């Protein structure tokens, strides 16, 4: 596969995947709603094509899918504080646009790479989760679950397209990606608060955990899976196995940013509203991807956080602490 369309190609994961594919000698079309400042350097690359448009524009999608051998469908509203307040938009982009993309790929016989989410498992308490673990979600009256539900619907549809029409695909369930350019998640919020001298706002008591996965490790997994045909037509957890509590994360980021710890504890409902439920533990079983392509996350959290802090320090025009 030589020519790739990446939906959400200028977002956090999309921009890193674009850069990696260009380094591999591929041609990349990045479809996104906006062109962030970091896209300027990419724009100069002769094999990179930026397309600023909405993924809801079928005409644009048709043209782009036609040009490519492979479609990486990354576009989504993935931040909890956005999707609990913009549920309809999350479902429109997740489901309407998602079905359009998959159908175009299916009808043209191209390869599909789909980023699903660890949110799929909801609040299943039996961690670590193998890919066939149960989805344990709250009520459909609770908007937190709209993102998980839209991704799960697409996973079902993709599987069905493979069974009925031999769609060639890989689905990955991403576990808390982080790194330079991340916006809207706990990690970049803590980094900004620490760098700008504000208390870090810990939701709940901070005992909830996540397995934070550095972006370079994730992109390595994506590329290995795309390039290994024997690994296609199934779903993989892609994540670090190291579980970190939000309170420990707050301490680590404060120390790395050279600040003494200063935290403000807030109730989830006060920050996120009533239509939110938190997930206490989120841990992947990564034995499947390890067997398929020999992948394991290798970047220690402190190292990845150091990269993020250095990136953000420069972006904010701050001196190193
Ligand atoms: N969180 C926090 N402070 C913040 C933002 C998030 O304590 O400023 C918590 C949030 O309540 C959740 C965890 O950090 O328990 C991870 O949140 P994130 O928004 O990164 O996404 P999630 O992993 O829940 O999808």
């Amino acid at each position: 596969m030589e020519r790739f369309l990446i939906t959400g190609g200028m977002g956090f994961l999309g921009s890193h995947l674009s850069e990696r594919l260009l380094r591999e000698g591929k041609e990349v079309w990045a479809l996104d709603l906006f062109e962030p400042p970091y896209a300027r350097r990419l724009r100069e690359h002769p094999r990179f094509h930026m397309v600023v448009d909405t993924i809801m524009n079928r005409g644009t999608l048709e043209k782009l899918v036609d040009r490519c051998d492979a479609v990486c469908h990354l576009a989504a509203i993935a931040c909890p504080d956005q999707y609990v307040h913009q549920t309809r938009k999350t479902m429109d982009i997740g489901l309407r646009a998602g079905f359009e993309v998959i159908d175009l790929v299916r009808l043209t016989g191209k390869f599909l790479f789909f980023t699903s989410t660890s949110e799929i498992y909801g609040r299943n308490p039996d961690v670590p989760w193998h890919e066939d673990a149960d989805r344990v979600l709250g009520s459909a009256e609770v908007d937190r679950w709209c993102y998980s539900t839209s991704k799960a619907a697409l996973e079902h549809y993709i599987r069905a397209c493979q069974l009925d029409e031999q769609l060639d695909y890989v689905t990955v369930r991403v576990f808390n990606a982080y790194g330079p350019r991340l916006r809207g998640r706990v990690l970049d919020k803590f980094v900004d608060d620490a760098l700008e001298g504000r208390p870090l706002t810990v939701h709940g008591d901070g005992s909830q955990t996540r397995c934070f996965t550095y972006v370079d490790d994730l992109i390595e997994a994506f590329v290995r899976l795309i390039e290994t045909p024997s690994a296609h037509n199934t779903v993989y957890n892609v994540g670090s196995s190291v579980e970190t509590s939000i309170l420990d994360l707050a301490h680590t980021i404060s120390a790395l940013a050279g600040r003494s710890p200063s935290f403000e504890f807030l109730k989830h409902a006060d920050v996120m509203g009533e239509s939110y439920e938190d997930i206490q533990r989120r841990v992947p079983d990564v034995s499947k991807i390890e067997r398929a392509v020999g992948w394991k996350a290798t970047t220690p959290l402190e190292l990845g956080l150091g990269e993020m802090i250095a990136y953000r320090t420069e972006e904010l025009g701050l001196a190193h602490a």
Side-chain angles (χ1 to χ4, degrees):
M1 287 179 276
E2 297 303 317
R3 294 175 307 158
F4 287 77
L5 165 63
I6 306 180
T7 71
M10 275 303 103
F12 165 56
L13 287 179
S15 64
H16 285 277
L17 181 59
S18 292
E19 286 174 349
R20 172 65 188 267
L21 290 173
L22 289 170
R23 283 204 299 280
E24 304 276 328
K26 313 292 184 191
E27 185 150 16
V28 174
W29 281 263
L31 172 64
D32 216 313
L33 269 179
F34 66 102
E35 187 178 338
Y38 54 72
R40 255 181 252 132
R41 206 163 42 87
L42 273 170
R43 245 199 189 286
E44 287 155 21
H45 198 291
R47 280 183 278 102
F48 179 77
H49 316 278
M50 176 77 217
V51 183
V52 178
D53 201 346
T54 163
I55 193 177
M56 308 294 277
N57 185 340
R58 181 158 175 119
T60 302
L61 271 181
E62 269 173 10
K63 268 189 235 140
L64 292 172
V65 171
D66 245 14
R67 271 181 213 156
C68 298
D69 319 307
V71 176
C72 301
H73 180 43
L74 274 57
I77 294 183
C79 299
D81 59 2
Q82 288 180 5
Y83 60 69
V84 295
H85 298 119
Q86 299 178 43
T87 307
R88 196 168 73 86
K89 197 167 163 195
T90 302
M91 305 297 274
D92 274 344
I93 291 173
L95 293 172
R96 278 187 219 283
F99 285 129
E100 289 272 30
V101 170
I102 296 162
D103 273 339
L104 284 171
V105 177
R106 174 177 70 85
L107 294 168
T108 52
K110 311 284 168 91
F111 169 76
L112 177 69
F113 179 79
F114 174 57
T115 48
S116 183
T117 172
S118 51
E119 278 272 325
I120 281 275
Y121 303 104
R123 53 181 186 209
N124 181 337
D126 299 327
V127 294
W129 300 316
H130 190 262
E131 282 79 356
D132 57 11
D134 288 347
R135 302 183 57 225
V136 181
L137 268 62
S139 157
E141 299 281 293
V142 176
D143 295 323
R144 161 84 201 210
W145 309 112
C146 72
Y147 176 64
S148 171
T149 301
S150 65
K151 289 285 190 183
L154 291 199
E155 282 203 27
H156 278 292
Y157 192 59
I158 290 168
R159 270 175 60 81
C161 291
Q162 204 285 322
L163 289 171
D164 290 357
E165 296 180 46
Q166 293 78 51
L167 171 73
D168 184 17
Y169 80 94
V170 167
T171 293
V172 289
R173 295 181 184 152
V174 175
F175 282 72
N176 288 78
Y178 77 100
R181 301 178 196 156
L182 179 71
R183 300 307 297 148
R185 308 303 288 270
V186 64
L187 270 154
D188 57 281
K189 287 180 185 162
F190 280 2
V191 166
D192 279 14
D193 287 341
L195 288 176
E196 294 183 323
R198 292 184 295 268
L200 277 58
T201 51
V202 176
H203 302 170
D205 63 3
S207 65
Q208 68 273 34
T209 69
R210 297 293 185 269
C211 292
F212 297 103
T213 314
Y214 192 59
V215 64
D216 289 356
D217 288 340
L218 277 173
I219 300 297
E220 176 64 29
F222 293 2
V223 170
R224 283 195 204 182
L225 290 168
I226 291 168
E227 289 181 346
T228 310
S230 61
H232 290 186
N233 301 323
T234 188
V235 58
Y236 297 93
N237 289 333
V238 188
S240 160
S241 304
V242 180
E243 197 178 358
T244 304
S245 77
I246 298 303
L247 193 55
D248 283 348
L249 179 75
H251 278 285
T252 306
I253 289 177
S254 302
L256 289 171
R259 308 274 172 201
S260 26
S262 164
F263 309 138
E264 188 183 352
F265 290 86
L266 302 171
K267 284 196 185 122
H268 277 109
D270 291 344
V271 198
M272 302 295 284
E274 294 299 331
S275 215
Y276 176 84
E277 281 172 22
D278 202 22
I279 292 166
Q280 185 60 23
R281 293 181 73 193
R282 182 187 280 162
V283 186
D285 173 337
V286 284
S287 53
K288 186 171 172 185
I289 187 171
E290 208 179 336
R291 271 197 312 278
V293 292
W295 180 89
K296 235 181 158 63
T298 53
T299 308
L301 185 60
E302 281 77 4
L303 197 82
L305 288 175
E307 291 292 324
M308 243 181 115
I309 289 170
Y311 173 85
R312 197 62 185 145
T313 300
E314 196 177 317
E315 204 171 53
L316 293 170
L318 301 168
H320 276 279

